[in-house]
């Protein structure tokens, strides 16, 4: 019974991780599009911008992307 519970716990953790990764990927894509529009850059340059900010601020790329999207949706 303990083995079954451990297997189910592992599966649940894997599913949560996958959902988190998919949400992060979506936020990064949205942020990349916003940077392309705002800064007049192509997709490759927007992605480099997204990678550079977290290095300077010691924050995850996904969190920076979420903030860009949040700021955009909060703007009138």
């Amino acid at each position: 019974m303990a083995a079954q519970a451990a297997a189910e716990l592992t599966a649940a953790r894997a599913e949560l991780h996958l959902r988190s990764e998919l949400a992060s990927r979506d936020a990064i894509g949205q942020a990349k599009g916003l940077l392309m529009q705002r800064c007049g850059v192509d997709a490759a340059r927007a992605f480099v911008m997204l990678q550079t900010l977290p290095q300077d601020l010691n924050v995850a790329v996904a969190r920076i992307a979420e903030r860009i999207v949040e700021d955009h949706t909060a703007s009138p």
Side-chain angles (χ1 to χ4, degrees), residues 31-68:
K32 190 171 75 169
L34 289 168
L35 289 173
M36 291 169 63
Q37 178 189 24
R38 289 179 187 171
C39 301
V41 297
D42 65 9
R45 178 66 184 134
F47 190 70
V48 168
M49 292 169 71
L50 275 174
Q51 289 178 312
T52 303
L53 283 170
Q55 291 173 357
D56 295 342
L57 301 173
N58 196 27
V59 178
V61 172
R63 185 62 192 130
I64 294 290
E66 290 168 1
R67 290 287 306 271
I68 291 170

Side-chain angles (χ1 to χ4, degrees), residues 13-28:
R13 285 183 180 158
E15 183 179 346
L16 284 174
H17 180 72
L18 178 60
R19 288 180 189 264
S20 176
E21 290 295 320
L22 288 173
S24 294
R25 190 179 87 175
D26 287 346
I28 290 169

Side-chain angles (χ1 to χ4, degrees), residues 1 4 9-10 23 25 29 33 51 64 70-71:
M1 190 159 158
Q4 178 68 24
L9 181 59
T10 300
R25 190 179 87 175
Q51 289 178 312
I64 294 290
E70 288 170 4
D71 289 348

